[in-house]
Amino acid sequence: MTKPDDHRGVAGMLCFSLYSASHAFTQLYRPLLDKLGLTYPQYLVMVSLWNRDGQNVKELGNNLFLDSSTLTPLLKRLNVAGLITRTRNPQDEREVLLHLTEKGRALQGQADDVMHCIGDAVALEADALDTLRATIDGLRNRLQARAR
Amino acid sequence: MTKPDDHRGVAGMLCFSLYSASHAFTQLYRPLLDKLGLTYPQYLVMVSLWNRDGQNVKELGNNLFLDSSTLTPLLKRLNVAGLITRTRNPQDEREVLLHLTEKGRALQGQADDVMHCIGDAVALEADALDTLRATIDGLRNRLQARAR
DNA sequence: CACAAATAAATCGCACACAAATAAATTAAC
DNA sequence: GTTAATTTATTTGTGTGCGATTTATTTGTG
């Protein structure tokens, strides 16, 4: 919260701007991702695996800032949907390795359409967008540093 | 999503910056709000009612961009905690009016400490913060307009 | 007045998030 | 080399979010 004494309720709080904008993104994604049979968090997992296949749960969690208690059930759903496999690492049986199936890899093609639609709605020039993203990432990093 | 062809996974996506920054805020708030016995969404409801007491569920939902299926159970918990009352509007029995109890009003004093802690972590000058908030709010409004 | 349409909440089902506790495997210490 | 500490993932329980449906009340139309 940022302005203790204003009279605008939640509207003046940066945390709420982020909270509501993030939900607005999810709402915009929903009908697009429905066509791929994915939820928004599932889509983030797929993006991460399209970028680097064969991550374990820990690495994926570090990339998405999510913990295994969130990811385990989500990954099971992606597995049931036939998009990924979950296998123990023979070198270290504690780790579960995540690999795209053929079907999971194929889905990346359809995802390009999704990104295009979202880009239109965001309606920001490339450099304005980079600046905004960098500002928000910097903020997130400061918040996470405090939360330890 | 913003950059289809980069090689950075989720890290290059504005939606993910918002998503992860919003969660980081929640994590920072958690230990502070634990002392008040509130979750972050419950805190948003209290802020809205501190700003304007006596809203109905619909109005509150418009302010927070949340719908009654989310709010009803949350409001019941605040009611059980003794922070608010839920009464039907005699003039229109469809509406449920939300009023702070004495205990609920009293909690606002402790919330000032929370805001102070958060403000420190955000570490932005007032005008930089206003600009950022306005940018994100503008983005949210564009996304919501597309989502209809 | 009667009765269909609209509105406000609540209910139900599913999928996150995350703290806390547990289980299994590896590494460290001695 | 056996035991303790650490690491990785799963399980459990609570609280959101939200689509879809349902219930109750009010408004609109003839």
Side-chain angles (χ1 to χ4, degrees):
Chain A
M1 147 71 97
T2 57
K3 299 202 151 171
D5 300 314
D6 62 15
H7 297 274
R8 311 199 289 143
V10 295
M13 294 158 65
L14 178 60
C15 58
F16 178 71
S17 292
L18 287 164
Y19 170 86
S20 55
S22 179
H23 287 163
F25 254 120
T26 304
Q27 292 308 304
L28 186 61
Y29 268 110
R30 189 184 306 279
L32 303 170
L33 293 179
D34 276 350
K35 293 171 188 159
L36 314 197
L38 294 174
T39 64
Y40 176 67
Q42 288 168 6
Y43 172 69
L44 291 178
V45 168
M46 294 302 290
V47 169
S48 190
L49 291 178
W50 287 329
N51 180 244
R52 192 157 68 82
D53 198 4
Q55 296 180 63
N56 64 33
V57 176
K58 174 86 165 181
E59 292 166 336
L60 184 64
N62 287 340
N63 287 332
L64 302 182
F65 306 109
L66 291 174
D67 125 338
S68 66
S69 59
T70 298
L71 288 173
T72 296
L74 187 158
L75 293 167
K76 286 182 178 175
R77 281 175 212 115
L78 290 179
N79 177 240
V80 168
L83 300 176
I84 65 169
T85 60
R86 301 163 65 241
T87 55
R88 294 276 167 181
N89 182 352
Q91 266 66 57
D92 186 340
E93 291 276 347
R94 289 173 302 185
E95 301 178 7
V96 168
L97 300 182
L98 308 167
H99 286 279
L100 293 165
T101 61
E102 201 49 56
K103 185 178 171 189
R105 230 183 325 273
L107 208 61
Q108 188 171 14
Q110 298 181 54
D112 291 342
D113 301 337
V114 174
M115 295 187 296
H116 190 268
C117 287
I118 299 292
D120 284 354
V122 169
L124 286 174
E125 295 302 321
D127 54 351
L129 195 148
D130 282 348
T131 303
L132 177 58
R133 195 163 39 63
T135 304
I136 296 171
D137 286 347
L139 172 62
R140 180 197 59 220
N141 292 338
R142 285 198 299 283
L143 298 178
Q144 288 176 339
R146 288 293 184 104
R148 309 255 167 67
Chain B
M1 144 75 92
T2 56
K3 299 200 156 175
D5 299 314
D6 63 13
H7 297 272
R8 311 198 291 142
V10 296
M13 294 158 64
L14 177 60
C15 60
F16 179 71
S17 293
L18 287 164
Y19 170 86
S20 56
S22 180
H23 286 164
F25 253 120
T26 303
Q27 291 308 304
L28 185 60
Y29 267 111
R30 189 184 306 277
L32 304 170
L33 293 178
D34 276 350
K35 293 173 189 157
L36 314 197
L38 294 174
T39 64
Y40 177 67
Q42 289 168 6
Y43 172 69
L44 291 179
V45 167
M46 294 303 289
V47 170
S48 190
L49 290 178
W50 288 329
N51 181 244
R52 191 158 70 81
D53 198 6
Q55 296 179 65
N56 64 33
V57 176
K58 175 84 166 182
E59 292 166 338
L60 184 64
N62 287 340
N63 287 331
L64 301 182
F65 304 109
L66 292 174
D67 105 351
S68 67
S69 60
T70 299
L71 288 173
T72 295
L74 188 158
L75 293 167
K76 285 182 179 175
R77 283 177 209 113
L78 291 178
N79 177 240
V80 168
L83 300 176
I84 65 168
T85 60
R86 301 164 65 240
T87 56
R88 293 277 168 180
N89 181 351
Q91 266 68 57
D92 186 340
E93 291 276 347
R94 288 173 302 185
E95 300 177 7
V96 167
L97 300 182
L98 307 167
H99 286 279
L100 293 165
T101 62
E102 201 50 57
K103 185 177 171 189
R105 231 184 323 275
L107 208 60
Q108 187 171 15
Q110 298 180 54
D112 292 342
D113 301 337
V114 174
M115 296 187 297
H116 190 268
C117 288
I118 299 293
D120 284 354
V122 168
L124 286 175
E125 296 301 321
D127 55 350
L129 194 147
D130 282 348
T131 302
L132 177 58
R133 197 164 37 65
T135 303
I136 297 171
D137 286 346
L139 172 61
R140 181 196 58 220
N141 292 338
R142 284 198 300 283
L143 299 178
Q144 288 177 338
R146 287 294 183 104
R148 309 254 168 67

